[in-house]
PDB file of all heavy atoms in Angstrom:
ATOM      1  N   VAL A   9      21.456   7.157 -34.851  1.00 35.00           N
ATOM      2  CA  VAL A   9      21.955   8.072 -35.880  1.00 35.00           C
ATOM      3  C   VAL A   9      22.722   7.286 -36.943  1.00 35.00           C
ATOM      4  O   VAL A   9      22.538   7.501 -38.143  1.00 35.00           O
ATOM      5  CB  VAL A   9      22.842   9.179 -35.265  1.00 35.00           C
ATOM      6  CG1 VAL A   9      23.580   9.954 -36.341  1.00 35.00           C
ATOM      7  CG2 VAL A   9      21.988  10.113 -34.427  1.00 35.00           C
ATOM      8  N   ALA A  10      23.562   6.359 -36.531  1.00 36.00           N
ATOM      9  CA  ALA A  10      24.330   5.553 -37.482  1.00 36.00           C
ATOM     10  C   ALA A  10      23.392   4.729 -38.361  1.00 36.00           C
ATOM     11  O   ALA A  10      23.580   4.632 -39.576  1.00 36.00           O
ATOM     12  CB  ALA A  10      25.312   4.641 -36.748  1.00 36.00           C
ATOM     13  N   SER A  11      22.359   4.143 -37.760  1.00 34.00           N
ATOM     14  CA  SER A  11      21.395   3.360 -38.544  1.00 34.00           C
ATOM     15  C   SER A  11      20.675   4.236 -39.551  1.00 34.00           C
ATOM     16  O   SER A  11      20.474   3.844 -40.701  1.00 34.00           O
ATOM     17  CB  SER A  11      20.358   2.708 -37.623  1.00 34.00           C
ATOM     18  OG  SER A  11      20.988   1.769 -36.784  1.00 34.00           O
ATOM     19  N   ALA A  12      20.271   5.420 -39.138  1.00 34.00           N
ATOM     20  CA  ALA A  12      19.578   6.342 -40.044  1.00 34.00           C
ATOM     21  C   ALA A  12      20.483   6.728 -41.213  1.00 34.00           C
ATOM     22  O   ALA A  12      20.037   6.807 -42.359  1.00 34.00           O
ATOM     23  CB  ALA A  12      19.120   7.588 -39.294  1.00 34.00           C
ATOM     24  N   LEU A  13      21.762   6.956 -40.930  1.00 32.00           N
ATOM     25  CA  LEU A  13      22.693   7.305 -42.008  1.00 32.00           C
ATOM     26  C   LEU A  13      22.853   6.153 -42.992  1.00 32.00           C
ATOM     27  O   LEU A  13      22.859   6.353 -44.198  1.00 32.00           O
ATOM     28  CB  LEU A  13      24.052   7.705 -41.436  1.00 32.00           C
ATOM     29  CG  LEU A  13      24.110   9.075 -40.775  1.00 32.00           C
ATOM     30  CD1 LEU A  13      25.456   9.265 -40.084  1.00 32.00           C
ATOM     31  CD2 LEU A  13      23.880  10.170 -41.787  1.00 32.00           C
ATOM     32  N   VAL A  14      22.968   4.936 -42.481  1.00 32.00           N
ATOM     33  CA  VAL A  14      23.121   3.775 -43.354  1.00 32.00           C
ATOM     34  C   VAL A  14      21.877   3.598 -44.213  1.00 32.00           C
ATOM     35  O   VAL A  14      21.956   3.407 -45.424  1.00 32.00           O
ATOM     36  CB  VAL A  14      23.408   2.497 -42.529  1.00 32.00           C
ATOM     37  CG1 VAL A  14      23.265   1.251 -43.385  1.00 32.00           C
ATOM     38  CG2 VAL A  14      24.802   2.570 -41.930  1.00 32.00           C
ATOM     39  N   ILE A  15      20.698   3.718 -43.611  1.00 33.00           N
ATOM     40  CA  ILE A  15      19.451   3.569 -44.365  1.00 33.00           C
ATOM     41  C   ILE A  15      19.341   4.685 -45.394  1.00 33.00           C
ATOM     42  O   ILE A  15      18.988   4.458 -46.541  1.00 33.00           O
ATOM     43  CB  ILE A  15      18.235   3.559 -43.412  1.00 33.00           C
ATOM     44  CG1 ILE A  15      18.241   2.260 -42.612  1.00 33.00           C
ATOM     45  CG2 ILE A  15      16.931   3.716 -44.183  1.00 33.00           C
ATOM     46  CD1 ILE A  15      17.276   2.231 -41.454  1.00 33.00           C
ATOM     47  N   GLY A  16      19.656   5.901 -45.026  1.00 35.00           N
ATOM     48  CA  GLY A  16      19.596   7.038 -45.941  1.00 35.00           C
ATOM     49  C   GLY A  16      20.534   6.866 -47.113  1.00 35.00           C
ATOM     50  O   GLY A  16      20.170   7.098 -48.255  1.00 35.00           O
ATOM     51  N   LEU A  17      21.755   6.433 -46.861  1.00 34.00           N
ATOM     52  CA  LEU A  17      22.717   6.246 -47.945  1.00 34.00           C
ATOM     53  C   LEU A  17      22.310   5.093 -48.843  1.00 34.00           C
ATOM     54  O   LEU A  17      22.413   5.173 -50.057  1.00 34.00           O
ATOM     55  CB  LEU A  17      24.119   6.002 -47.371  1.00 34.00           C
ATOM     56  CG  LEU A  17      24.765   7.210 -46.683  1.00 34.00           C
ATOM     57  CD1 LEU A  17      26.079   6.798 -46.036  1.00 34.00           C
ATOM     58  CD2 LEU A  17      24.977   8.346 -47.655  1.00 34.00           C
ATOM     59  N   ALA A  18      21.806   4.030 -48.252  1.00 37.00           N
ATOM     60  CA  ALA A  18      21.367   2.899 -49.070  1.00 37.00           C
ATOM     61  C   ALA A  18      20.179   3.299 -49.923  1.00 37.00           C
ATOM     62  O   ALA A  18      20.058   2.911 -51.073  1.00 37.00           O
ATOM     63  CB  ALA A  18      21.000   1.708 -48.177  1.00 37.00           C
ATOM     64  N   GLY A  19      19.285   4.121 -49.379  1.00 40.00           N
ATOM     65  CA  GLY A  19      18.113   4.564 -50.116  1.00 40.00           C
ATOM     66  C   GLY A  19      18.484   5.368 -51.343  1.00 40.00           C
ATOM     67  O   GLY A  19      17.842   5.269 -52.372  1.00 40.00           O
ATOM     68  N   THR A  20      19.518   6.181 -51.275  1.00 47.00           N
ATOM     69  CA  THR A  20      19.883   6.998 -52.428  1.00 47.00           C
ATOM     70  C   THR A  20      20.601   6.167 -53.489  1.00 47.00           C
ATOM     71  O   THR A  20      20.616   6.546 -54.638  1.00 47.00           O
ATOM     72  CB  THR A  20      20.787   8.176 -52.021  1.00 47.00           C
ATOM     73  OG1 THR A  20      21.968   7.670 -51.395  1.00 47.00           O
ATOM     74  CG2 THR A  20      20.078   9.121 -51.082  1.00 47.00           C
ATOM     75  N   ALA A  21      21.185   5.058 -53.095  1.00 54.00           N
ATOM     76  CA  ALA A  21      21.940   4.248 -54.045  1.00 54.00           C
ATOM     77  C   ALA A  21      21.050   3.237 -54.762  1.00 54.00           C
ATOM     78  O   ALA A  21      21.418   2.728 -55.802  1.00 54.00           O
ATOM     79  CB  ALA A  21      23.070   3.518 -53.323  1.00 54.00           C
ATOM     80  N   SER A  22      19.889   2.932 -54.197  1.00 67.00           N
ATOM     81  CA  SER A  22      19.044   1.913 -54.797  1.00 67.00           C
ATOM     82  C   SER A  22      18.217   2.477 -55.941  1.00 67.00           C
ATOM     83  O   SER A  22      18.056   3.675 -56.088  1.00 67.00           O
ATOM     84  CB  SER A  22      18.127   1.311 -53.720  1.00 67.00           C
ATOM     85  OG  SER A  22      17.274   2.302 -53.220  1.00 67.00           O
ATOM     86  N   ALA A  23      17.684   1.575 -56.725  1.00 90.00           N
ATOM     87  CA  ALA A  23      16.875   1.968 -57.875  1.00 90.00           C
ATOM     88  C   ALA A  23      15.471   2.360 -57.428  1.00 90.00           C
ATOM     89  O   ALA A  23      14.988   1.909 -56.398  1.00 90.00           O
ATOM     90  CB  ALA A  23      16.803   0.814 -58.862  1.00 90.00           C
ATOM     91  N   ALA A  24      14.848   3.215 -58.214  1.00 97.00           N
ATOM     92  CA  ALA A  24      13.450   3.565 -57.994  1.00 97.00           C
ATOM     93  C   ALA A  24      12.643   2.998 -59.150  1.00 97.00           C
ATOM     94  O   ALA A  24      13.066   3.041 -60.306  1.00 97.00           O
ATOM     95  CB  ALA A  24      13.282   5.077 -57.934  1.00 97.00           C
ATOM     96  N   THR A  25      11.483   2.446 -58.835  1.00 97.00           N
ATOM     97  CA  THR A  25      10.607   1.878 -59.842  1.00 97.00           C
ATOM     98  C   THR A  25       9.244   2.535 -59.733  1.00 97.00           C
ATOM     99  O   THR A  25       8.694   2.640 -58.647  1.00 97.00           O
ATOM    100  CB  THR A  25      10.479   0.353 -59.652  1.00 97.00           C
ATOM    101  OG1 THR A  25      11.783  -0.232 -59.733  1.00 97.00           O
ATOM    102  CG2 THR A  25       9.588  -0.262 -60.710  1.00 97.00           C
ATOM    103  N   ILE A  26       8.718   2.973 -60.877  1.00 97.00           N
ATOM    104  CA  ILE A  26       7.423   3.648 -60.911  1.00 97.00           C
ATOM    105  C   ILE A  26       6.526   2.930 -61.911  1.00 97.00           C
ATOM    106  O   ILE A  26       6.849   2.864 -63.098  1.00 97.00           O
ATOM    107  CB  ILE A  26       7.581   5.127 -61.345  1.00 97.00           C
ATOM    108  CG1 ILE A  26       8.476   5.882 -60.373  1.00 97.00           C
ATOM    109  CG2 ILE A  26       6.221   5.797 -61.490  1.00 97.00           C
ATOM    110  CD1 ILE A  26       8.878   7.260 -60.857  1.00 97.00           C
ATOM    111  N   GLY A  27       5.430   2.403 -61.425  1.00 98.00           N
ATOM    112  CA  GLY A  27       4.407   1.895 -62.331  1.00 98.00           C
ATOM    113  C   GLY A  27       3.547   3.088 -62.730  1.00 98.00           C
ATOM    114  O   GLY A  27       3.203   3.908 -61.892  1.00 98.00           O
ATOM    115  N   PHE A  28       3.205   3.199 -64.001  1.00 98.00           N
ATOM    116  CA  PHE A  28       2.429   4.363 -64.420  1.00 98.00           C
ATOM    117  C   PHE A  28       1.246   3.971 -65.290  1.00 98.00           C
ATOM    118  O   PHE A  28       1.262   2.937 -65.958  1.00 98.00           O
ATOM    119  CB  PHE A  28       3.304   5.397 -65.139  1.00 98.00           C
ATOM    120  CG  PHE A  28       3.944   4.921 -66.409  1.00 98.00           C
ATOM    121  CD1 PHE A  28       3.327   5.130 -67.637  1.00 98.00           C
ATOM    122  CD2 PHE A  28       5.171   4.272 -66.396  1.00 98.00           C
ATOM    123  CE1 PHE A  28       3.917   4.701 -68.816  1.00 98.00           C
ATOM    124  CE2 PHE A  28       5.769   3.845 -67.575  1.00 98.00           C
ATOM    125  CZ  PHE A  28       5.140   4.056 -68.788  1.00 98.00           C
ATOM    126  N   ASN A  29       0.206   4.796 -65.231  1.00 98.00           N
ATOM    127  CA  ASN A  29      -0.985   4.632 -66.033  1.00 98.00           C
ATOM    128  C   ASN A  29      -1.640   6.005 -66.101  1.00 98.00           C
ATOM    129  O   ASN A  29      -1.957   6.589 -65.071  1.00 98.00           O
ATOM    130  CB  ASN A  29      -1.922   3.607 -65.390  1.00 98.00           C
ATOM    131  CG  ASN A  29      -3.112   3.326 -66.276  1.00 98.00           C
ATOM    132  OD1 ASN A  29      -3.998   4.152 -66.434  1.00 98.00           O
ATOM    133  ND2 ASN A  29      -3.117   2.148 -66.869  1.00 98.00           N
ATOM    134  N   GLN A  30      -1.803   6.524 -67.315  1.00 98.00           N
ATOM    135  CA  GLN A  30      -2.353   7.868 -67.472  1.00 98.00           C
ATOM    136  C   GLN A  30      -3.089   7.963 -68.793  1.00 98.00           C
ATOM    137  O   GLN A  30      -2.750   7.268 -69.759  1.00 98.00           O
ATOM    138  CB  GLN A  30      -1.225   8.908 -67.423  1.00 98.00           C
ATOM    139  CG  GLN A  30      -1.680  10.348 -67.434  1.00 98.00           C
ATOM    140  CD  GLN A  30      -2.554  10.693 -66.249  1.00 98.00           C
ATOM    141  OE1 GLN A  30      -3.761  10.523 -66.309  1.00 98.00           O
ATOM    142  NE2 GLN A  30      -1.936  11.146 -65.176  1.00 98.00           N
ATOM    143  N   THR A  31      -4.104   8.838 -68.849  1.00 98.00           N
ATOM    144  CA  THR A  31      -4.803   9.116 -70.096  1.00 98.00           C
ATOM    145  C   THR A  31      -4.475  10.530 -70.552  1.00 98.00           C
ATOM    146  O   THR A  31      -4.120  11.389 -69.746  1.00 98.00           O
ATOM    147  CB  THR A  31      -6.335   8.994 -69.935  1.00 98.00           C
ATOM    148  OG1 THR A  31      -6.759   9.921 -68.933  1.00 98.00           O
ATOM    149  CG2 THR A  31      -6.746   7.578 -69.559  1.00 98.00           C
ATOM    150  N   SER A  32      -4.611  10.763 -71.854  1.00 98.00           N
ATOM    151  CA  SER A  32      -4.484  12.117 -72.381  1.00 98.00           C
ATOM    152  C   SER A  32      -5.651  12.940 -71.833  1.00 98.00           C
ATOM    153  O   SER A  32      -6.627  12.377 -71.320  1.00 98.00           O
ATOM    154  CB  SER A  32      -4.507  12.089 -73.910  1.00 98.00           C
ATOM    155  OG  SER A  32      -5.731  11.550 -74.373  1.00 98.00           O
ATOM    156  N   THR A  33      -5.566  14.263 -71.950  1.00 98.00           N
ATOM    157  CA  THR A  33      -6.641  15.094 -71.403  1.00 98.00           C
ATOM    158  C   THR A  33      -7.973  14.846 -72.103  1.00 98.00           C
ATOM    159  O   THR A  33      -9.032  15.081 -71.522  1.00 98.00           O
ATOM    160  CB  THR A  33      -6.284  16.595 -71.458  1.00 98.00           C
ATOM    161  OG1 THR A  33      -6.062  16.976 -72.813  1.00 98.00           O
ATOM    162  CG2 THR A  33      -5.058  16.899 -70.610  1.00 98.00           C
ATOM    163  N   SER A  34      -7.948  14.351 -73.338  1.00 98.00           N
ATOM    164  CA  SER A  34      -9.185  14.025 -74.062  1.00 98.00           C
ATOM    165  C   SER A  34      -9.754  12.671 -73.642  1.00 98.00           C
ATOM    166  O   SER A  34     -10.912  12.368 -73.920  1.00 98.00           O
ATOM    167  CB  SER A  34      -8.923  13.997 -75.564  1.00 98.00           C
ATOM    168  OG  SER A  34      -8.151  12.853 -75.889  1.00 98.00           O
ATOM    169  N   GLY A  35      -8.900  11.829 -73.040  1.00 98.00           N
ATOM    170  CA  GLY A  35      -9.309  10.472 -72.684  1.00 98.00           C
ATOM    171  C   GLY A  35      -9.214   9.489 -73.838  1.00 98.00           C
ATOM    172  O   GLY A  35      -9.524   8.307 -73.681  1.00 98.00           O
ATOM    173  N   LYS A  36      -8.748   9.934 -75.003  1.00 98.00           N
ATOM    174  CA  LYS A  36      -8.661   9.059 -76.177  1.00 98.00           C
ATOM    175  C   LYS A  36      -7.437   8.150 -76.159  1.00 98.00           C
ATOM    176  O   LYS A  36      -7.436   7.110 -76.807  1.00 98.00           O
ATOM    177  CB  LYS A  36      -8.638   9.891 -77.462  1.00 98.00           C
ATOM    178  CG  LYS A  36      -9.921  10.632 -77.740  1.00 98.00           C
ATOM    179  CD  LYS A  36      -9.789  11.438 -79.021  1.00 98.00           C
ATOM    180  CE  LYS A  36     -11.050  12.198 -79.339  1.00 98.00           C
ATOM    181  NZ  LYS A  36     -10.936  12.928 -80.617  1.00 98.00           N
ATOM    182  N   ALA A  37      -6.370   8.578 -75.463  1.00 98.00           N
ATOM    183  CA  ALA A  37      -5.133   7.789 -75.402  1.00 98.00           C
ATOM    184  C   ALA A  37      -4.844   7.403 -73.960  1.00 98.00           C
ATOM    185  O   ALA A  37      -5.105   8.180 -73.032  1.00 98.00           O
ATOM    186  CB  ALA A  37      -3.968   8.600 -75.960  1.00 98.00           C
ATOM    187  N   GLU A  38      -4.308   6.207 -73.788  1.00 98.00           N
ATOM    188  CA  GLU A  38      -3.910   5.743 -72.461  1.00 98.00           C
ATOM    189  C   GLU A  38      -2.508   5.156 -72.545  1.00 98.00           C
ATOM    190  O   GLU A  38      -2.219   4.378 -73.456  1.00 98.00           O
ATOM    191  CB  GLU A  38      -4.881   4.676 -71.956  1.00 98.00           C
ATOM    192  CG  GLU A  38      -4.527   4.139 -70.588  1.00 98.00           C
ATOM    193  CD  GLU A  38      -5.521   3.092 -70.099  1.00 98.00           C
ATOM    194  OE1 GLU A  38      -6.251   2.500 -70.926  1.00 98.00           O
ATOM    195  OE2 GLU A  38      -5.563   2.865 -68.884  1.00 98.00           O
ATOM    196  N   ILE A  39      -1.641   5.545 -71.607  1.00 98.00           N
ATOM    197  CA  ILE A  39      -0.301   4.959 -71.534  1.00 98.00           C
ATOM    198  C   ILE A  39      -0.158   4.216 -70.218  1.00 98.00           C
ATOM    199  O   ILE A  39      -0.806   4.547 -69.220  1.00 98.00           O
ATOM    200  CB  ILE A  39       0.824   6.013 -71.686  1.00 98.00           C
ATOM    201  CG1 ILE A  39       0.811   7.016 -70.528  1.00 98.00           C
ATOM    202  CG2 ILE A  39       0.727   6.708 -73.042  1.00 98.00           C
ATOM    203  CD1 ILE A  39       2.061   7.883 -70.438  1.00 98.00           C
ATOM    204  N   SER A  40       0.707   3.209 -70.223  1.00 98.00           N
ATOM    205  CA  SER A  40       0.983   2.455 -69.005  1.00 98.00           C
ATOM    206  C   SER A  40       2.326   1.752 -69.154  1.00 98.00           C
ATOM    207  O   SER A  40       2.886   1.684 -70.246  1.00 98.00           O
ATOM    208  CB  SER A  40      -0.128   1.432 -68.741  1.00 98.00           C
ATOM    209  OG  SER A  40      -0.206   0.513 -69.808  1.00 98.00           O
ATOM    210  N   GLY A  41       2.833   1.240 -68.040  1.00 98.00           N
ATOM    211  CA  GLY A  41       4.087   0.504 -68.051  1.00 98.00           C
ATOM    212  C   GLY A  41       4.833   0.684 -66.745  1.00 98.00           C
ATOM    213  O   GLY A  41       4.277   1.150 -65.748  1.00 98.00           O
ATOM    214  N   THR A  42       6.108   0.347 -66.777  1.00 98.00           N
ATOM    215  CA  THR A  42       6.969   0.468 -65.609  1.00 98.00           C
ATOM    216  C   THR A  42       8.227   1.226 -66.005  1.00 98.00           C
ATOM    217  O   THR A  42       8.860   0.903 -67.014  1.00 98.00           O
ATOM    218  CB  THR A  42       7.353  -0.918 -65.058  1.00 98.00           C
ATOM    219  OG1 THR A  42       6.157  -1.640 -64.767  1.00 98.00           O
ATOM    220  CG2 THR A  42       8.201  -0.803 -63.801  1.00 98.00           C
ATOM    221  N   TYR A  43       8.563   2.222 -65.185  1.00 98.00           N
ATOM    222  CA  TYR A  43       9.748   3.057 -65.396  1.00 98.00           C
ATOM    223  C   TYR A  43      10.681   2.824 -64.216  1.00 98.00           C
ATOM    224  O   TYR A  43      10.260   2.915 -63.062  1.00 98.00           O
ATOM    225  CB  TYR A  43       9.311   4.522 -65.481  1.00 98.00           C
ATOM    226  CG  TYR A  43      10.407   5.550 -65.345  1.00 98.00           C
ATOM    227  CD1 TYR A  43      11.485   5.582 -66.211  1.00 98.00           C
ATOM    228  CD2 TYR A  43      10.345   6.523 -64.351  1.00 98.00           C
ATOM    229  CE1 TYR A  43      12.475   6.548 -66.092  1.00 98.00           C
ATOM    230  CE2 TYR A  43      11.328   7.496 -64.226  1.00 98.00           C
ATOM    231  CZ  TYR A  43      12.381   7.498 -65.098  1.00 98.00           C
ATOM    232  OH  TYR A  43      13.360   8.451 -64.977  1.00 98.00           O
ATOM    233  N   GLU A  44      11.940   2.482 -64.492  1.00 98.00           N
ATOM    234  CA  GLU A  44      12.942   2.243 -63.448  1.00 98.00           C
ATOM    235  C   GLU A  44      14.145   3.114 -63.738  1.00 98.00           C
ATOM    236  O   GLU A  44      14.533   3.273 -64.896  1.00 98.00           O
ATOM    237  CB  GLU A  44      13.331   0.773 -63.437  1.00 98.00           C
ATOM    238  CG  GLU A  44      14.409   0.403 -62.420  1.00 98.00           C
ATOM    239  CD  GLU A  44      15.829   0.580 -62.941  1.00 98.00           C
ATOM    240  OE1 GLU A  44      16.053   0.381 -64.144  1.00 98.00           O
ATOM    241  OE2 GLU A  44      16.704   0.955 -62.152  1.00 98.00           O
ATOM    242  N   TYR A  45      14.713   3.701 -62.690  1.00 98.00           N
ATOM    243  CA  TYR A  45      15.935   4.480 -62.884  1.00 98.00           C
ATOM    244  C   TYR A  45      16.845   4.358 -61.671  1.00 98.00           C
ATOM    245  O   TYR A  45      16.396   4.031 -60.567  1.00 98.00           O
ATOM    246  CB  TYR A  45      15.618   5.951 -63.170  1.00 98.00           C
ATOM    247  CG  TYR A  45      15.015   6.696 -62.005  1.00 98.00           C
ATOM    248  CD1 TYR A  45      15.817   7.437 -61.144  1.00 98.00           C
ATOM    249  CD2 TYR A  45      13.649   6.661 -61.756  1.00 98.00           C
ATOM    250  CE1 TYR A  45      15.271   8.117 -60.070  1.00 98.00           C
ATOM    251  CE2 TYR A  45      13.106   7.336 -60.701  1.00 98.00           C
ATOM    252  CZ  TYR A  45      13.916   8.071 -59.845  1.00 98.00           C
ATOM    253  OH  TYR A  45      13.372   8.732 -58.779  1.00 98.00           O
ATOM    254  N   HIS A  46      18.138   4.607 -61.905  1.00 98.00           N
ATOM    255  CA  HIS A  46      19.129   4.578 -60.840  1.00 98.00           C
ATOM    256  C   HIS A  46      20.288   5.503 -61.216  1.00 98.00           C
ATOM    257  O   HIS A  46      20.500   5.804 -62.391  1.00 98.00           O
ATOM    258  CB  HIS A  46      19.633   3.149 -60.595  1.00 98.00           C
ATOM    259  CG  HIS A  46      20.256   2.536 -61.802  1.00 98.00           C
ATOM    260  ND1 HIS A  46      19.525   1.892 -62.779  1.00 98.00           N
ATOM    261  CD2 HIS A  46      21.531   2.495 -62.232  1.00 98.00           C
ATOM    262  CE1 HIS A  46      20.332   1.480 -63.736  1.00 98.00           C
ATOM    263  NE2 HIS A  46      21.569   1.836 -63.437  1.00 98.00           N
TER     264      HIS A  46
END
């Protein structure tokens, strides 16, 4: 239980990184990159 709490608390404090790649619904535009937040 103590280990789970430590892992859970550390998980909420760390940054999240999302690599993204998407096209518009027409397929004419494409976006990509990396989004990070904390």
Side-chain angles (χ1 to χ4, degrees):
V9 169
S11 295
L13 286 172
V14 167
I15 290 168
L17 291 174
T20 59
S22 63
T25 302
I26 300 170
F28 62 93
N29 185 288
Q30 186 61 272
T31 59
S32 61
T33 60
S34 71
K36 293 179 180 183
E38 180 179 20
I39 64 167
S40 61
T42 304
Y43 165 59
E44 178 273 327
Y45 68 95
H46 59 275

